[in-house]
Amino acid sequence: MKKLFILWILFGFIGGAYSQKITITEQDTNEPIDLVTLTNIKTNLYATTNSRGQADISAFKGLERIEIRSLGYKTLIKSYAELESEAFKISLETSNLSLDEVVISGSRWRQSSDNVPSKIISISTKEVALQNPQTAADLLNVSGKVFVQKSQQGGGSPMIRGFATSRLLYSVDGVRMNTAIFRSGNLQNVINLDPFAIENTEVLFGPGSVIYGSDAIGGVMSFQTLTPQLSLTDKAYITGKANVRYSSANNEKTGHFDVNLGFKKWAFVTSITSWDYDNLRQGSHGPEDYIKDYYVQRQDSTDVVITQEDKLLQIPSAYSQINMMQKIRFQPNEKWDFQYGFHFSETSPYGRYDRHNRVRNGTARYAEWDYGPQIWMMNNLNISYNAKNSVFDEMSLRLAHQWFEESRIDRSLNKTERNTQSEEVSAYSVNLDFKKATGAKNTFFYGIEYVLDDVNSEGELTDISTGVSEVGPARYPQSKWQSLAAYVTDEFKVSDQFTLSAGARYNHILLDAEFDTTFYPFPFTEANLSNGALTGSFGGVYRPDDSWVISANLGTAFRSPNVDDLGKVFDSEPGSVVVPNPDLKPEYAYNADLGIAKVFGDVVKVDITGYYTHLKNALVRRDFKLNGLDSIEYQGELSQVQAIQNAAIAKVYGVQAGVEVKLPKGFGFSTDVNFQKGEEELDNGETSPSRHSAPFFGVSRLNYKANKLSMELNLNYQAKRDFEDLPEEEKEKTEFYALDENGNAFAPSWYTLNFKALYKMTDTFDVSGGIENLTDQRYRPYSSGISGAGRNFILALTAHF
């Protein structure tokens, strides 16, 4: 286990220079608004307000057009002279019906959503403060447009437009988080991120391979963590917050603290969060099939199956986690900006609850099935340079090193042999991005990228009765995965109402793996892949007037086989074992989507997007032969041999729709619904529903805001999925699902009714909380192996300073 703790000595110096501050507040409450973006397209100037609603706009002096945007507020366009006449104090009018905002996930640069043909949503810090999500996975779920699957409490695997896991890409501060062992099964890595330390979350729907490379087939989730804020005066700028929170359904005890120390040229942000969760209690009303009223405990060298006093507790699901972040910023002048970030996250060991639901011979199959501590560490340096020349107007260099550590521990009931498999990935990445305006209407974005993942995998077998350990089979081969890429995107403003965008990327992937044949008789000892992929996109955004937006986009995306696809050995389900297959090639996606948004009379907003994705050479798990055998003995059981293969064509199509209504006296109503249908080709030529296409789901909200009080009553829901509509690979997983009258697995429909509130008691203290699952429903999101929380009381207190 590798741990790195860095202690920074905070140091700063102050340089005197003229600066002009602007202060931006909310019209109704006169409260300062942070993260307001002020931009001028022609000069590429931008500024962002701090927590006091202030920004330095000295560089904007004399400009005729300054665009002022913030999520949830009406956009303002002012000249510098107008701002000066208003004493550089303006207020923004709240509006949930805005059709434009500043986004970064579409190109890695700040740009108006007016110019981005892809559908992008943002999740604001205000929404996060009201909803109180426990993890970053729950934060994504707040949007109502991302479906989240869970196999245990310590996890969360997003599903977007029928794709999930290694077909989605995670980006943290512009750095690719996906590694060579991101699997096609459910992923838990998103919980490494700290919701308290994230200042903005964006989800780009559809292909993002032109900018982000391999894996960005279904979408991109971009997380921007807290940015160190410089002082706008000669005094040090000190701000921060402290949070404590309790939730009843899992006895959550959470504490968070962050502080920003800013000088004229130096700024520092320190953040630390600690979570502690007990076993999660599910609801009282729902399918009896979701109840497992026992757990296994080792007593006097014997595995004992213990009947629970409270049958609604899901044991084992408890875990704890700690996150730390330190960021340093140095801005010597207006042209250069240096930002360094250190991130560290570690969980306790925790049980994989869905595996503990498995039975054999009428009793628990496993005495242990746990994940070991999940560790993520990142060091990243971002250097930005803003100076117009013949090659670029803006340049950004990102250097990053990430360390991932995870392990799996399992032991069958009444067996003394414990199997431990540990993985370590050291990931290095370099991104060099440029932005160049070649005229008043044309802007180029281009760049290069290099990624190296070094995978180390080990296995250990331990006799728990003697404590003697020996080397065991590893999950993966020792591997190196490399990606080299170059891309270019052109944004052309045909008119003030119409923008075209086109891009292309060439990516080359190299994979070298060495296999250990000590435990498995593989007919090979190494595998080498060298794959090239060319992807492209073409789209446009048309705005007939301020109340209409029509966007269309065509794009391709790809995913090159990684180490998990090519080389893993694991039991996917009882009676099956997945073995390596070195004969793989990339899968390609072809996507089309069309979106229309309309605001009616500044009262109603309707937003509809339809999409279709065709996946060719899809990497799927299929029956296989190893040395001519279709079955081998694995962990004491004769198991069907399977492998990942380019064996299918898949397609996904669907509709995302939303309605927002501004009601009188501070009330509002909104609904977001998602329909998707996925089909995957089987070996026999028939089709099966795709595993990661969620059933119809959505959320409806009734909210109220006035002065210092925000409240929301919302209804989350998911439609039923019958046995015949389940993917073939899901039909045998009876431990996941409820059973119908024929004993077949199916996913019942469900809903939860939830109330949330936030009240600003003073300028310093906020109190927030609510009641989730008011009617105490027992439910499981589709494909999940653990039930959601039953009736859950939340109370949180936040202090701002």
Side-chain angles (χ1 to χ4, degrees):
M1 180 186 299
K2 294 184 178 180
K3 296 183 179 179
L4 182 60
F5 298 95
I6 297 179
L7 178 64
W8 292 103
I9 300 175
L10 302 183
F11 165 78
F13 63 90
I14 299 173
Y18 168 79
S19 65
Q20 178 57 62
K21 287 190 301 182
I22 188 171
T23 302
I24 302 177
T25 57
E26 187 175 284
Q27 189 177 87
D28 295 333
T29 64
N30 206 35
E31 295 287 335
I33 309 173
D34 63 347
L35 302 178
V36 178
T37 302
L38 300 95
T39 59
N40 177 268
I41 297 175
K42 289 184 178 180
T43 61
N44 288 318
L45 289 174
Y46 70 86
T48 305
T49 59
N50 59 26
S51 62
R52 295 174 185 168
Q54 298 175 336
D56 182 358
I57 60 168
S58 307
F60 291 77
K61 188 172 183 179
L63 293 178
E64 290 297 319
R65 184 181 176 90
I66 302 172
E67 299 177 10
I68 305 170
R69 288 186 172 91
S70 182
L71 184 63
Y73 297 90
K74 287 186 176 181
T75 297
L76 280 182
I77 298 176
K78 298 271 190 177
S79 68
Y80 188 88
E82 287 176 316
L83 296 177
E84 189 174 28
S85 68
E86 297 175 26
F88 298 101
K89 294 181 179 180
I90 64 171
S91 58
L92 297 183
E93 183 181 351
T94 58
S95 173
N96 295 322
L97 308 179
S98 175
L99 294 177
D100 66 327
E101 59 184 273
V102 174
V103 296
I104 61 171
S105 53
S107 65
R108 295 187 189 270
W109 298 99
R110 287 178 175 85
Q111 59 184 150
S112 169
S113 58
D114 287 353
N115 302 321
V116 183
S118 300
K119 182 177 178 63
I120 300 175
I121 63 164
S122 297
I123 304 172
S124 69
T125 52
K126 288 187 176 181
E127 183 70 9
V128 173
L130 175 64
Q131 298 297 336
N132 272 303
Q134 291 189 337
T135 69
D138 298 328
L139 183 155
L140 291 167
N141 204 30
V142 163
S143 69
K145 299 179 178 68
V146 178
F147 191 89
V148 176
Q149 179 275 352
K150 291 188 178 184
S151 298
Q152 64 277 332
Q153 185 175 201
S157 188
M159 297 182 183
I160 298 176
R161 290 191 176 183
F163 295 100
T165 61
S166 55
R167 292 184 178 121
L168 301 176
L169 191 129
Y170 302 81
S171 172
V172 183
D173 292 344
V175 177
R176 172 193 177 94
M177 192 181 189
N178 295 45
T179 73
I181 64 169
F182 267 37
R183 55 191 181 273
S184 58
N186 299 308
L187 283 170
Q188 323 307 327
N189 298 74
V190 72
I191 71 166
N192 288 130
L193 305 178
D194 179 0
F196 290 103
I198 294 173
E199 69 180 21
N200 187 52
T201 301
E202 292 179 9
V203 181
L204 183 152
F205 294 89
S209 280
V210 169
I211 303 299
Y212 295 95
S214 180
D215 305 352
I217 290 178
V220 176
M221 291 158 285
S222 175
F223 302 89
Q224 176 63 48
T225 61
L226 297 173
T227 301
Q229 297 295 323
L230 299 165
S231 176
L232 303 180
T233 68
D234 291 337
K235 295 181 179 180
Y237 176 67
I238 303 174
T239 185
K241 64 180 181 292
N243 305 69
V244 291
R245 185 174 66 207
Y246 174 80
S247 299
S248 64
N250 52 8
N251 197 26
E252 176 201 9
K253 296 175 286 292
T254 291
H256 166 80
F257 175 80
D258 68 68
V259 61
N260 181 99
L261 174 60
F263 301 98
K264 276 292 188 67
K265 296 183 179 182
W266 290 85
F268 310 84
V269 166
T270 302
S271 172
I272 183 168
T273 307
S274 174
W275 297 267
D276 184 77
Y277 304 112
D278 206 339
N279 295 304
L280 180 64
R281 186 185 187 278
Q282 60 186 326
S284 303
H285 311 295
E288 291 293 317
D289 301 304
Y290 292 165
I291 293 177
K292 177 180 73 70
D293 60 355
Y294 63 86
Y295 62 95
V296 179
Q297 191 175 81
R298 189 77 172 170
Q299 297 180 356
D300 299 326
S301 301
T302 303
D303 291 330
V304 179
V305 179
I306 298 175
T307 301
Q308 297 174 193
E309 292 183 9
D310 184 350
K311 68 177 183 178
L312 298 181
L313 282 179
Q314 299 176 97
I315 305 174
S317 59
Y319 81 104
S320 60
Q321 181 173 333
I322 188 168
N323 274 54
M324 292 179 287
M325 182 182 77
Q326 178 65 58
K327 299 182 80 172
I328 300 176
R329 182 180 184 183
F330 174 54
Q331 193 175 59
N333 52 51
E334 292 179 355
K335 292 185 176 181
W336 289 96
D337 192 351
F338 299 82
Q339 294 190 40
Y340 166 77
F342 169 74
H343 305 258
F344 180 83
S345 172
E346 181 175 8
T347 71
S348 66
Y350 53 91
R352 180 167 170 176
Y353 188 75
D354 62 343
R355 293 298 176 97
H356 284 274
N357 284 342
R358 291 185 176 177
V359 297
R360 183 163 57 185
N361 300 325
T363 189
R365 178 175 181 179
Y366 294 105
E368 303 175 46
W369 214 118
D370 303 327
Y371 286 114
Q374 180 173 291
I375 298 174
W376 171 65
M377 183 189 72
M378 180 169 77
N379 290 277
N380 68 299
L381 176 65
N382 185 12
I383 302 173
S384 299
Y385 180 60
N386 183 359
K388 287 190 175 183
N389 56 50
S390 58
V391 179
F392 61 85
D393 297 332
E394 296 179 69
M395 179 272 292
S396 175
L397 173 65
R398 291 181 178 88
L399 307 174
H401 170 252
Q402 297 179 81
W403 176 263
F404 298 83
E405 184 175 324
E406 58 187 52
S407 57
R408 298 163 177 80
I409 305 104
D410 67 85
R411 182 174 63 83
S412 296
L413 187 71
N414 297 321
K415 302 293 184 182
T416 60
E417 184 179 79
R418 176 189 292 137
N419 177 41
T420 302
Q421 293 179 316
S422 303
E423 284 75 53
E424 297 175 349
V425 180
S426 191
Y428 304 86
S429 62
V430 180
N431 289 90
L432 185 58
D433 298 295
F434 301 94
K435 178 181 178 181
K436 176 62 182 177
T438 58
K441 296 185 177 182
N442 199 73
T443 304
F444 276 102
F445 307 90
Y446 61 99
I448 56 176
E449 178 186 75
Y450 174 72
V451 179
L452 168 64
D453 287 1
D454 191 351
V455 179
N456 179 60
S457 183
E458 297 178 349
E460 182 180 73
L461 298 174
T462 303
D463 188 327
I464 63 171
S465 63
T466 63
V468 176
S469 297
E470 59 183 21
V471 176
R475 179 179 172 90
Y476 297 117
Q478 308 307 303
S479 312
K480 291 186 185 299
W481 185 92
Q482 299 178 79
S483 170
L484 303 93
Y487 77 91
V488 61
T489 296
D490 183 39
E491 180 185 288
F492 180 64
K493 208 163 184 64
V494 180
S495 68
D496 290 340
Q497 291 79 34
F498 186 35
T499 302
L500 285 175
S501 179
R505 178 189 183 102
Y506 180 76
N507 223 121
H508 200 85
I509 307 289
L510 302 170
L511 197 164
D512 300 293
E514 296 181 2
F515 292 88
D516 183 356
T517 58
T518 304
F519 298 95
Y520 304 114
F522 301 139
F524 43 80
T525 58
E526 64 178 30
N528 307 101
L529 295 183
S530 179
N531 294 316
L534 180 65
T535 54
S537 64
F538 179 75
V541 181
Y542 177 55
R543 295 196 63 160
D545 56 49
D546 290 341
S547 66
W548 273 98
V549 174
I550 302 171
S551 60
N553 193 49
L554 300 173
T556 62
F558 80 103
R559 185 169 76 88
S560 187
N562 64 16
V563 176
D564 184 83
D565 300 310
L566 177 142
K568 68 182 170 186
V569 179
F570 86 115
D571 58 329
S572 58
E573 57 196 23
S576 297
V577 59
V578 173
V579 300
N581 178 15
D583 186 22
L584 294 175
K585 53 187 178 182
E587 56 184 8
Y588 282 87
Y590 305 87
N591 179 82
D593 57 69
L594 174 66
I596 301 175
K598 169 69 174 174
V599 174
F600 298 90
D602 201 28
V603 175
V604 177
K605 175 184 173 182
V606 178
D607 186 353
I608 302 175
T609 302
Y611 57 90
Y612 176 88
T613 304
H614 181 88
L615 188 65
K616 183 181 177 182
N617 292 328
L619 292 162
V620 293
R621 191 171 71 238
R622 292 285 185 264
D623 290 346
F624 195 65
K625 288 188 177 181
L626 183 64
N627 294 327
L629 300 175
D630 60 9
S631 298
I632 61 173
E633 187 168 302
Y634 181 75
Q635 293 188 347
E637 183 176 350
L638 187 65
S639 300
Q640 169 70 50
V641 175
Q642 296 182 327
I644 303 296
Q645 303 170 58
N646 294 103
I649 294 174
K651 62 181 180 181
V652 179
Y653 55 91
V655 174
Q656 294 174 287
V659 176
E660 297 179 43
V661 182
K662 186 188 292 185
L663 300 173
K665 298 183 178 180
F667 286 93
F669 174 80
S670 67
T671 290
D672 286 294
V673 294
N674 305 266
F675 166 81
Q676 56 194 259
K677 186 174 179 60
E679 295 179 356
E680 182 180 289
E681 184 183 29
L682 299 176
D683 281 344
N684 59 9
E686 296 179 357
T687 60
S688 167
S690 296
R691 177 184 176 189
H692 294 128
S693 288
F696 175 87
F697 71 96
V699 59
S700 298
R701 305 179 179 93
L702 177 65
N703 49 63
Y704 172 78
K705 184 176 181 181
N707 297 323
K708 299 181 178 183
L709 177 65
S710 298
M711 296 190 297
E712 179 178 294
L713 184 67
N714 65 58
L715 186 72
N716 280 275
Y717 40 87
Q718 174 205 291
K720 177 182 179 182
R721 179 156 288 178
D722 291 316
F723 174 75
E724 56 268 22
D725 296 323
L726 285 178
E728 289 299 315
E729 59 189 296
E730 295 290 289
K731 289 181 177 179
E732 300 302 319
K733 298 179 181 179
T734 53
E735 72 272 20
F736 278 38
Y737 297 100
L739 303 181
D740 62 20
E741 61 275 9
N742 299 317
N744 294 322
F746 78 105
S749 61
W750 56 263
Y751 76 91
T752 62
L753 184 63
N754 315 280
F755 173 75
K756 299 292 179 69
L758 185 149
Y759 181 68
K760 290 187 69 67
M761 295 186 293
T762 67
D763 290 340
T764 301
F765 291 103
D766 299 346
V767 62
S768 62
I771 308 174
E772 294 180 334
N773 197 356
L774 278 155
T775 57
D776 205 25
Q777 298 298 303
R778 185 184 310 133
Y779 72 100
R780 269 185 196 175
Y782 164 74
S783 191
S784 293
I786 189 170
S787 300
R791 188 180 294 115
N792 184 29
F793 296 89
I794 304 169
L795 180 63
L797 181 67
T798 303
H800 303 270
F801 59 90

